[in-house]
Amino acid sequence: MSTFTATLGTDRARRLRATLTTLLAAGVALGAPFYFAPFQVFQLTMVLLYAVALAGLNLLVGFGGQISLGHGAFFAAGAYTAAVMLDRYETGHLATLPVAAVGCFLLGLGFGVPALRLRGLYLALVTLAFAVFLPPLLKRLEPVTGGSMGLTVDKLQAPAWSGLAEDQWTYFVVLAVTAVALLLARNLLRSRVGRALLAVRDNESAAEVMGVRLSLHKTLAFAWSALFAGVSGCVYTWVIGFVSPDSFSFVLSITLLAGLVVGGLASLYGPLLGAAFVMYVPSVAQDLSDAAPGVVFGLLIIAVMFVAPTGLAGLAGRLRGVAAGRLTRTTAPAADDPPPDPEASASPAPADPAPVDAAPVDAEPVDAEPVGAQPRKEEE
């Protein structure tokens, strides 16, 4: 009963800590656009939409165990879907979101077929090829995509009843989309699909023996990942108001993957931290070196990986482990010190009293012979 009570108390404390953290994060997120300048609000908005893309990539790479270097292509597909609908058909902004999500989901299903036969570096090479050939394809489809000039569309406009500025209204809309996307990813990972993805990542043979259909879940991993990337690309069009093929080169795919690794693979908070890294670190690198910002960006990635090999999401746990280890070494006795002797620490027992007529200890008997001397012969 005591063990059960202790476990219940630990669960309640963990749940309370998670609730307080969520409420604190929600309060900071809701108050941020009223405190920061418009450009800083724009940067926070970009962090949120990148977090959606990284959440999808985390499903595929972190929890699915598959490597993808073509995530920027799905991002571009969602962005161009929204841009074409807004430019050609003059639909509302919110109407583009489900179309981009469904279209990218189907695209991910089709692209997930090579994942059934390829793995590791071979799969990464195929996904990279998809990210490389998509920008030239968009340039050749000029009647639809606008070619190299791209498409310019209207940004989100704040309604009059809101009383908010344009950047503030855009921030809150993107915040709502991000919250729903992260909640969907969390519930998906806790469902049967998420457990199957973890089983496939850890051991495909064991997962297949347990009844997991490898082909289905590998394909679904690509489909869900593409859906999140398409939603992120659609929101990108809302925020920027312009799309062009040069905005979605293969460098975007590499940057997204680097952001996920830096943020933390297989972590629910890793996408948010990785999105902040993707958004802010390039600007910091540009400020530090105008001549070679890419070099500074690469060095910062190396430094973060050296300090936090498991990503920024695992840095807190790593620091706690180091502190606990040092505390243990400080309080534990040194290995060279001999253990205390319990017999030596006990008080010596009192000696038995000698009899009254006994000879003194230092008195020597008359007939005593020195040690080692020859025995005397009896005199006749």
Side-chain angles (χ1 to χ4, degrees):
M1 179 64 67
S2 60
T3 305
F4 175 77
T5 305
T7 304
L8 184 61
T10 304
D11 292 340
R12 287 180 177 177
R14 188 184 301 110
R15 193 178 300 111
L16 179 60
R17 184 168 59 252
T19 302
L20 293 177
T21 303
T22 303
L23 292 177
L24 179 61
V28 172
L30 293 176
F34 303 104
Y35 179 78
F36 294 106
F39 178 72
Q40 295 172 328
V41 174
F42 165 77
Q43 288 180 318
L44 292 175
T45 305
M46 295 297 294
V47 169
L48 292 175
L49 68 90
Y50 280 137
V52 177
L54 293 183
L57 188 60
N58 195 27
L59 289 175
L60 180 64
V61 180
F63 293 96
Q66 304 181 68
I67 301 177
S68 175
L69 297 177
H71 213 60
F74 299 119
F75 189 94
Y80 265 94
T81 299
V84 170
M85 291 183 65
L86 292 173
D87 183 69
R88 300 284 189 259
Y89 303 103
E90 298 182 356
T91 59
H93 287 81
L94 294 180
T96 63
L97 187 62
V99 177
V102 173
C104 290
F105 184 84
L106 297 177
L107 183 62
L109 279 178
F111 196 78
V113 174
L116 304 179
R117 299 182 178 273
L118 300 175
R119 67 182 63 187
L121 297 177
Y122 301 99
L123 180 60
L125 185 61
V126 172
T127 55
L128 179 62
F130 182 45
V132 168
F133 85 83
L134 184 62
L137 179 63
L138 294 175
K139 292 180 180 179
R140 293 186 177 276
L141 299 177
E142 186 174 355
V144 180
T145 63
S148 301
M149 301 300 296
L151 295 175
T152 302
V153 297
D154 295 332
K155 299 180 181 180
L156 283 173
Q157 300 295 328
W161 54 266
S162 65
L164 299 174
E166 179 181 332
D167 59 298
Q168 295 174 341
W169 173 256
T170 303
Y171 170 85
F172 282 119
V173 172
V174 177
L175 178 63
V177 174
T178 303
V180 173
L182 295 180
L183 183 62
L184 176 62
R186 174 178 173 271
N187 293 336
L188 183 65
L189 291 173
R190 294 188 175 184
S191 66
R192 184 177 180 181
V193 176
R195 292 192 294 269
L197 286 178
L198 292 176
V200 172
R201 182 197 65 181
D202 295 337
N203 193 320
E204 293 187 3
S205 300
E208 191 173 9
V209 170
M210 295 174 62
V212 177
R213 298 175 58 183
L214 300 182
S215 59
L216 174 63
H217 289 92
K218 282 187 174 182
T219 307
L220 284 178
F222 265 96
W224 282 107
S225 178
L227 182 146
F228 280 87
V231 170
S232 179
C234 178
V235 176
Y236 174 87
T237 303
W238 297 356
V239 176
I240 303 299
F242 173 76
V243 291
S244 68
D246 295 332
S247 302
F248 309 106
S249 63
F250 73 94
V251 178
L252 175 62
S253 300
I254 304 298
T255 304
L256 291 176
L257 183 60
L260 177 62
V261 174
V262 170
L265 290 170
S267 172
L268 295 177
Y269 303 102
L272 283 172
L273 299 175
F277 184 87
V278 169
M279 183 63 213
Y280 290 108
V281 171
S283 60
V284 173
Q286 185 69 35
D287 295 337
L288 293 177
S289 175
D290 295 335
V295 176
V296 179
F297 181 69
L299 292 177
L300 289 175
I301 292 178
I302 295 174
V304 172
M305 288 291 94
F306 181 78
V307 176
T310 57
L312 296 176
L315 183 59
R318 182 180 175 85
L319 294 177
R320 285 197 301 266
V322 172
R326 290 184 177 179
L327 182 61
T328 303
R329 289 194 299 268
T330 303
T331 56
D336 297 336
D337 296 341
D341 189 1
E343 296 181 358
S345 60
S347 59
D352 296 335
V356 176
D357 56 349
V361 176
D362 53 351
E364 185 178 356
V366 177
D367 294 335
E369 299 179 358
V371 178
Q374 295 294 330
R376 293 183 300 175
K377 296 181 180 181
E378 297 181 359
E379 296 181 357
E380 297 180 357

